[in-house]
């Protein structure tokens, strides 16, 4: 009875408190009223004023004007007020670094408080205030906290060492904090050990520091697991997984981890699996396979958890199954990966991948039955992927072909699936040419060629027509639609049409000579170099009898290697590393951590390395902040049309070689104001140079005459120095330098190369204060740079007295922001005196 009354009172108290504090998120006191309450002696007024300020801060309002008054309250003995003050200081100290030093004495005194909660709070707050002039003051309190008698303070200090390493790695090592952190690994309190190994693991990963993990330490860590929280167990198990061991110790570690496989917490279970997997390689083959039945059931139980856990588990499983093929060999395990109506789409699609990887002779029929039901699903994406999975089953396992044939025939009448079925038929026909030939005629009858939208399906149709044209009654009629609309099709479809036409001609040259002339004539007139060159290659080989026979043997008989089994295999060289990262983001991405994670500490890159936005040293300039980029039109290079080839005669002769790629335009003298061509409304007045003359074809009978024997011109390297490297800046490469083309205006020339897979846009540029006071004159108005393209822009600069700062007169520090959402920093040599002569720029002394 007493417990029920206490629970009711607690619930009522929480309800009233929540209702009372909610008023601070509505309209309340402002400005001077809050300052008056903060300066009053009434503790309730002070507390309510702080709550109002924290509520405004949560809503994104500027509350930095209360900094001085809030700092004064840091001396209060009231715990609730002190926590609110510390929360405010952590969020606003960066805006007032000079005033933040006023609270240092309070932090130092609180770190010696009799209450361990206050001591831990003071140390944690000091380390969260990332202001340079506080770093030296935090070292004595942190050192005392690492040796504190309270385990709560010690575990807080362990993570404090990691925070200090984030911001000041050199200071952290000079003061010996890493060594003191190593001593906490053998602490008597499990919670302290868990935080210590977590901090030490990250420091080891991002620095050259190494901590030897011995057999005795591993046994000690296993003994403290039972006293740790779930996340503490994860940290300890991750640390144990670093141990390089012999077969005897590996067996001991595996045996000690097996009981952790029965944990209900998914993170602990997956971490235990990681430790076991990293030690399995040290065991003999027979002994290793003996642990497979123990690993499978716990992983299968995770498929009953929430969708996010299921997805992570399956992404990790696919890597493990690629390395250890004996896992999940029990047919009963397959049912755990069957889709349900409650599963979101991303989980259902991943389950399809797992089912394909689990496919074998024993479970093939049950998997095919499930896939047949999925083909009737209401979700179009899942339904199409299920049809493709059916074809993948036939490609992977020949015994599935008869059943897949029956299902595919029944799906041919479904108008919504006809293009997807065509793609599936293409994959199987490439593997088994005689198995599905009777499915093609009814399938082609259901296809509306004019209504097809998917380029991949068009390519599949053209391939089928070219490959089996003799066995299909209306094959040429289907092909003629794509020939008539050749210029409207995509490059991939055009390439497929050219190849299919060549196949028709090689099988019956007299009947399809006109068709070939028509297609090759259109193909050689296109701008796409791949299409044009392939058409010329076919043309010249067909012009010589000895090459025509070789071409027939290659095009009609040889088949491209088939890789359409639907399973996403990771590069073998990366599998071992990714399995060692089991249950981490790297395992979910199927990418090694170095490919998507930034480094810091001693492993941090040099110039051009992107920093995170919170540590931006000079983008808070009040005079000119980051400016969003506008839009513009990208200039295009002049193109020279290729000459049309002569028709193929009955006994073809070699056609004329195609014209060479036009040379780059010669540099021209800039106009009176060279920036008008970029930012002004008028077009550029520079005329491109005349294209180079076409090379004379070789008269010999070798393959050298296919492309005219002309060497390909190598593009000239940018004249400006490299400022950002693509490998360190997510595919962004930048060359640039200062220039004064008109003699009356200083500009920053930027040559931007996009080596990423997505367009680059949203450019914003800002100069740090410098000796000349340079900064961009106007907001950037740069067009998007498509993938694989390079764009050159000239940014006009100006000099402002408010932006002048004494310092290194030889260097300008600049920040560049793009649509990638990250800021890149680089340094550029200051403009030479002759560039700024007569412009009125004053160099700071």
């Amino acid at each position: 009875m007493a417990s029920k009354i206490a629970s009711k009172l607690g619930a009522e108290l929480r309800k009233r408190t929540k209702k009372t504090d909610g008023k601070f998120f509505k309209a309340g006191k402002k400005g001077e009223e809050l300052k008056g309450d903060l300066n009053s002696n009434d503790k309730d007024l002070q507390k309510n004023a702080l709550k109002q300020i924290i509520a405004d801060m949560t809503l994104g309002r500027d509350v930095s004007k209360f900094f001085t008054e809030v700092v004064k309250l840091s001396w209060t003995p009231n715990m609730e007020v002190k926590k609110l003050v510390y929360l405010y200081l952590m969020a606003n100290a960066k805006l007032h670094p000079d005033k933040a030093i006023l609270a240092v004495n309070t932090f130092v005194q609180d770190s010696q408080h009799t209450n361990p909660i206050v001591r831990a709070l003071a140390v944690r707050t000091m380390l969260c205030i990332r202001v340079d002039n506080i770093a030296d003051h935090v070292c004595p309190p942190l050192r005392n906290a690492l040796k504190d008698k309270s385990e709560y303070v010690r575990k807080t200090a362990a993570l404090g060492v990691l925070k200090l390493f984030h911001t000041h790695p050199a200071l952290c090592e000079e003061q010996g904090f890493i060594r003191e952190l190593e001593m906490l690994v053998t602490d008597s309190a499990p919670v302290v050990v868990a935080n210590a190994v977590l901090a030490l693991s990250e420091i080891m990963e991002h620095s050259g520091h190494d901590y030897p993990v011995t057999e005795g330490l591993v046994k000690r860590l296993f003994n403290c697991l039972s006293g740790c929280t779930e996340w503490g167990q994860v940290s300890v198990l991750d640390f144990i997984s670093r141990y390089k061991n012999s077969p005897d110790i590996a067996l001991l570690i595996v045996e000690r981890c097996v009981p952790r496989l029965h944990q209900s917490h998914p993170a602990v279970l997956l971490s235990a699996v990681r430790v076991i997997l990293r030690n399995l390689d040290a065991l003999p083959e027979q002994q290793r396979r003996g642990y497979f039945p123990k690993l499978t059931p716990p992983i299968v139980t995770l498929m009953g958890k929430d969708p996010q856990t299921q997805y992570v588990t399956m992404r990790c499983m696919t890597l493990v199954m690629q390395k250890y093929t004996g896992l999940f060999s029990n047919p009963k395990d397959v049912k755990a990966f069957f889709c349900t109506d409650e599963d979101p789409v991303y989980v259902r699609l991943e389950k399809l991948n797992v089912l394909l990887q689990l496919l074998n002779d024993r479970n093939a029929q049950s998997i095919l039955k499930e896939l047949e039901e999925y083909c009737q699903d209401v979700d179009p994406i899942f339904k199409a992927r299920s049809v493709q999975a059916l074809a993948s089953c036939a490609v992977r396992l020949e015994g599935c072909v008869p059943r897949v044939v029956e299902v595919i025939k029944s799906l041919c009448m479904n108008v919504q699936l006809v293009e997807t079925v065509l793609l599936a038929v293409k994959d199987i026909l490439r593997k088994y040419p005689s198995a599905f030939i009777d499915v093609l005629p009814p399938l082609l009858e259901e296809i509306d060629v004019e209504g097809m939208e998917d380029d991949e399906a068009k390519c599949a149709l053209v391939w089928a027509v070219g490959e089996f044209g003799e066995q299909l009654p209306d094959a040429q009629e289907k092909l003629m639609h794509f020939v008539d609309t050749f210029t409207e099709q995509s490059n991939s479809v055009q390439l497929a049409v050219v190849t299919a036409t060549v196949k028709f001609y090689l099988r019956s040259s007299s009947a399809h000579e006109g068709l070939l002339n028509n297609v090759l004539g259109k193909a050689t007139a296109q701008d796409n170099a791949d299409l044009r060159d392939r058409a010329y290659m076919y043309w010249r080989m067909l012009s010589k009898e000895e090459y025509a026979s070789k071409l027939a043997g290659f095009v009609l008989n040889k088949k491209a290697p088939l890789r359409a089994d639907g399973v996403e295999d990771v590069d073998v060289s990366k599998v071992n590393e990714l399995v060692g990262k089991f249950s981490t983001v790297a395992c979910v991405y199927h990418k090694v951590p170095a490919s998507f994670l930034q480094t810091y500490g001693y492993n941090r890159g040099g110039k051009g390395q992107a920093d995170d936005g919170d540590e931006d040293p000079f983008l808070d300039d009040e005079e000119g902040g980051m400016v969003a980029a506008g839009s513009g039109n990208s200039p295009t290079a002049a193109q020279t049309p290729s000459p049309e080839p002569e028709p193929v005669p009955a006994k073809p002769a070699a056609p004329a070689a195609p014209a060479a790629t036009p040379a780059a335009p010669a540099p021209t003298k800039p106009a009176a104001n060279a920036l008008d061509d970029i930012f002004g409304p008028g077009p550029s007045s520079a005329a491109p140079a005349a294209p180079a003359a076409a090379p004379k074809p070789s008269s010999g009978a070798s393959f050298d005459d296919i492309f005219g024997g002309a060497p390909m011109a190598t593009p000239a390297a940018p004249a400006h120095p490299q400022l950002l490297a693509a490998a360190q800046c997510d595919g962004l490469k930048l060359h640039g330098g200062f220039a004064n083309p008109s003699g009356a205006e200083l500009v920053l020339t930027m040559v931007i190369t996009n080596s990423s897979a997505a367009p680059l846009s949203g450019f914003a540029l800002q100069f740090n204060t410098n000796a000349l006071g340079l900064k961009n004159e106007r907001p950037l108005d740069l067009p998007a740079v498509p993938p694989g393209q390079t764009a050159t822009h000239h940014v006009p600069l100006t000099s402002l007295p408010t932006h002048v700062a004494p310092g290194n007169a030889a260097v300008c520090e600049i920040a560049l922001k793009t649509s990638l959402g990250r800021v890149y920093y680089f340094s550029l040599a200051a403009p030479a005196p002759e560039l700024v002569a007569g412009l009125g720029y004053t160099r700071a002394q």
Side-chain angles (χ1 to χ4, degrees):
M1 178 64 70
S3 61
K4 291 183 178 180
I5 294 176
S7 62
K8 289 182 179 180
L9 288 176
E12 183 65 23
L13 180 61
R14 288 191 297 272
K15 182 179 179 181
R16 291 185 179 182
T17 303
K18 183 177 180 181
K19 183 176 180 180
T20 304
D21 290 346
K23 66 183 181 182
F24 295 111
F25 290 92
K26 301 176 182 179
K29 295 181 178 179
K30 304 292 181 182
E32 296 301 325
E33 284 188 83
L34 289 176
K35 286 187 177 181
D37 291 347
L38 292 173
N39 292 324
S40 69
N41 295 323
D42 191 329
K43 301 300 180 183
D44 290 335
L45 287 178
Q46 292 176 352
K47 182 172 64 176
N48 290 335
L50 284 170
K51 288 183 178 180
Q52 181 67 61
I53 291 173
I54 298 298
D56 292 344
M57 185 175 67
T58 306
L59 296 174
R61 297 168 184 162
D62 182 18
V63 293
S64 59
K65 57 187 175 183
F66 304 108
F67 194 87
T68 303
E69 288 76 14
V70 174
V71 169
K72 295 178 183 178
L73 294 180
S74 59
W75 295 92
T76 179
N78 186 290
M79 180 64 69
E80 187 176 2
V81 174
K82 187 179 290 292
K83 288 182 178 180
L84 292 172
V85 170
Y86 283 1
L87 179 61
Y88 175 87
L89 291 178
M90 284 189 289
N92 294 274
K94 190 176 179 180
L95 301 176
H96 299 275
D98 298 333
K99 296 180 181 179
I101 198 70
L102 300 175
V104 169
N105 290 334
T106 305
F107 294 139
V108 174
Q109 290 193 10
D110 284 349
S111 66
Q112 302 171 0
H113 200 276
T114 56
N115 189 341
I117 297 178
V118 176
R119 297 200 298 270
L121 182 63
V123 174
R124 180 169 62 243
T125 305
M126 286 188 74
L127 290 163
C128 289
I129 297 177
R130 300 191 175 187
V131 178
D132 290 337
N133 54 10
I134 291 184
D136 294 332
H137 298 277
V138 79
C139 293
L142 179 59
R143 183 172 289 105
N144 294 332
L146 288 170
K147 300 176 182 178
D148 198 279
K149 60 183 179 180
S150 171
E151 63 183 45
Y152 179 78
V153 179
R154 294 200 303 275
K155 80 179 185 66
T156 303
L159 293 182
V161 175
L162 179 59
K163 292 179 181 178
L164 184 63
F165 180 80
H166 270 275
T167 55
H168 301 85
L171 177 65
C172 186
E173 186 166 2
E174 290 172 3
Q175 295 292 329
F177 287 123
I178 298 179
R179 177 56 187 161
E180 295 187 30
L181 184 64
E182 293 175 356
M183 297 175 62
L184 291 184
V185 175
T186 58
D187 196 274
S188 58
V191 291
V192 178
V193 174
N195 282 14
V197 297
L198 173 63
L200 192 58
S201 297
E202 190 162 343
I203 291 175
M204 290 166 59
E205 189 171 349
H206 293 87
S207 71
H209 185 78
D210 188 23
Y211 179 70
V213 183
T214 62
E215 179 182 351
L217 178 60
V218 169
K219 293 180 180 179
R220 187 183 186 93
L221 292 176
F222 271 117
N223 291 333
C224 77
L225 274 177
S226 57
C228 298
T229 62
E230 285 85 357
W231 292 111
Q233 294 181 43
V234 171
S235 301
V236 174
L237 289 171
D238 291 348
F239 192 77
I240 293 174
S241 67
R242 294 175 173 270
Y243 181 56
K244 305 295 188 297
N245 42 60
S246 61
D248 294 338
I249 305 303
L251 181 61
L252 172 65
I253 293 177
V254 171
E255 287 293 338
R256 294 291 297 268
C257 278
V258 167
R260 301 290 161 188
L261 295 177
H262 303 290
Q263 283 276 348
S264 59
H265 197 281
V268 179
L269 194 157
L270 292 174
S271 295
V273 172
R274 185 201 309 179
V275 177
I276 293 175
L277 291 175
R278 294 198 66 164
N279 287 273
L280 281 182
D281 289 338
L283 301 180
E285 177 68 20
Q286 185 175 1
Q287 197 172 25
R288 181 191 312 159
R289 292 193 170 274
Y291 284 99
F292 287 174
K294 297 180 181 180
L295 282 173
T296 304
I299 296 178
V300 171
T301 58
L302 294 178
M303 299 309 298
K305 300 289 185 179
D306 56 275
Q308 294 81 6
T309 302
Q310 293 182 42
Y311 182 78
V312 171
T313 302
M314 289 186 290
R315 293 292 290 177
C316 297
M317 275 179 51
T318 52
L319 290 172
V320 178
M321 287 189 293
Q322 185 176 341
K323 182 177 181 180
Y324 303 110
T325 55
L327 279 173
F328 304 99
S329 57
N330 190 342
K332 295 181 180 179
D333 296 335
V334 177
K335 295 183 179 180
F337 303 98
F338 287 169
C339 300
T340 63
D341 294 336
E342 292 78 15
D343 291 335
V345 175
Y346 68 93
V347 172
R348 303 173 82 182
L349 295 177
E350 194 61 34
K351 283 185 175 181
L352 290 180
N353 294 333
V354 174
L355 289 176
L356 289 176
Q357 204 159 359
L358 292 174
L359 182 71
N360 55 44
D361 292 328
R362 293 187 294 173
N363 57 29
Q365 295 304 316
S366 60
I367 291 179
L368 289 177
K369 184 178 179 181
E370 276 294 309
L371 294 178
E372 185 177 355
E373 294 181 5
Y374 299 160
C375 292
Q376 309 299 330
D377 196 86
V378 294
D379 187 276
I381 298 176
F382 181 66
K383 181 163 45 177
R385 184 64 184 86
S386 300
V387 176
Q388 296 172 6
L390 271 174
S392 300
C393 289
V395 172
R396 287 176 61 84
L397 201 61
E398 188 173 357
C400 299
V401 173
R403 178 70 178 272
V404 173
V405 169
E406 297 178 5
V407 178
I408 291 294
K409 286 182 178 179
S410 63
L411 295 175
C412 288
M413 303 303 172
N414 190 334
V415 179
Q416 297 178 347
L417 287 177
V418 66
E419 294 187 13
T420 306
V421 171
L422 181 60
L423 291 172
V425 170
K426 183 203 70 171
D427 292 337
I428 303 176
L429 283 175
R430 290 177 60 194
K431 184 72 176 288
Y432 314 104
S434 60
F436 273 73
I437 192 61
D438 58 334
V439 181
L440 275 178
L443 179 60
L444 295 183
E445 290 180 3
E446 297 294 333
I447 293 178
D448 180 13
V449 180
E450 297 181 359
M452 296 182 68
E453 298 179 354
D454 186 11
D455 288 339
E456 194 174 356
K458 293 179 181 179
C459 292
L461 174 60
V462 174
W463 174 86
V465 169
E467 191 73 18
F468 305 97
E470 297 177 348
Q471 307 175 45
L472 301 175
D474 55 348
Q476 187 170 353
E477 180 182 347
K478 298 286 186 183
L479 183 61
M480 285 306 300
H481 168 75
F482 296 100
V483 174
D484 296 338
T485 59
F486 188 85
T487 56
E488 303 173 7
Q489 304 296 337
S490 64
N491 291 332
S492 59
V493 178
Q494 290 175 339
L495 287 168
V497 172
V498 169
T499 304
T501 306
V502 171
K503 290 180 181 179
F504 269 81
Y505 177 80
L506 290 173
R507 291 194 181 99
S508 178
S509 58
S510 59
H512 301 99
E513 182 179 329
L515 175 62
L516 181 64
N517 282 329
N518 185 11
V519 172
L520 291 183
K522 292 180 178 180
T524 51
Q526 299 300 310
D527 296 332
N528 183 268
D530 187 17
L531 174 64
R532 187 175 62 246
D533 292 345
R534 184 179 297 191
Y536 274 115
M537 182 189 70
Y538 284 144
W539 193 285
R540 293 191 174 184
M541 293 188 73
L542 292 173
S543 300
K544 299 181 182 294
E545 294 183 1
E546 61 271 26
Y547 293 151
S549 60
K550 292 180 180 180
L551 180 63
F554 182 81
V555 174
L556 298 179
N557 297 331
K558 289 190 177 182
K559 306 299 178 185
L562 181 63
R563 184 64 180 87
D565 57 4
V567 178
E568 179 189 355
D569 283 344
V570 181
D571 187 1
V572 178
S573 61
K574 299 179 181 179
V575 169
N576 288 332
E577 181 180 356
L578 291 175
V579 169
K581 303 292 183 182
F582 190 87
S583 78
T584 64
V585 177
C587 206
V588 176
Y589 284 172
H590 288 183
K591 296 180 180 179
V592 294
S595 64
F596 62 90
L597 283 182
Q598 288 182 255
T599 58
Y600 62 91
Y602 296 109
N603 289 347
R604 181 171 181 160
K607 181 177 70 173
Q609 177 67 32
D611 199 352
D612 85 44
D614 294 334
E615 298 303 318
D616 189 347
F618 57 85
L619 289 182
D620 296 329
D621 183 27
E622 296 179 359
E623 193 67 34
M626 274 293 183
V627 184
S631 61
N633 296 323
S634 175
T636 58
Q639 298 176 343
T640 302
S642 302
E644 292 189 9
E646 297 296 329
V648 178
K651 291 185 178 180
T661 304
T668 58
K669 184 176 179 180
N673 187 358
L675 295 176
D676 288 343
D677 293 342
I678 296 176
F679 296 102
S684 174
S685 59
K696 185 177 180 180
S698 174
S699 58
S702 65
F703 281 96
D704 293 338
D705 68 349
I706 293 178
F707 299 103
M712 184 176 294
T714 303
H720 300 286
Q722 179 172 301
L723 305 176
L724 297 176
Q728 296 178 341
C729 301
D730 307 309
L732 168 65
K733 184 164 66 174
L734 176 67
H735 293 75
F738 294 108
N740 189 352
S742 63
E745 186 174 25
L746 184 67
V747 299
L748 172 64
T749 301
M750 301 172 60
V751 182
I752 303 172
T753 302
N754 183 7
S755 302
S756 66
L760 285 179
S761 60
F763 295 98
L765 187 77
Q766 183 164 336
F767 282 72
N768 192 10
T769 54
N770 52 80
L772 284 173
L774 294 177
K775 65 178 303 179
N776 42 311
E777 186 179 61
R778 65 189 74 166
L780 291 187
D781 188 19
L782 309 185
V785 182
Q789 299 295 320
T790 298
T792 302
H793 303 284
H794 304 282
V795 181
L797 303 179
T798 186
S799 177
L800 295 177
T802 58
H803 211 64
V804 175
N808 187 358
V811 174
C812 290
E813 296 176 341
I814 307 173
L816 177 66
K817 189 175 183 181
T818 70
S819 56
L820 298 175
R822 298 169 62 185
V823 181
Y824 304 95
Y825 305 109
F826 59 91
S827 298
L828 187 61
E834 56 269 19
L835 292 180
V836 297
L839 299 182
Y841 294 175
T842 303
R843 192 179 298 271
Q845 301 299 322

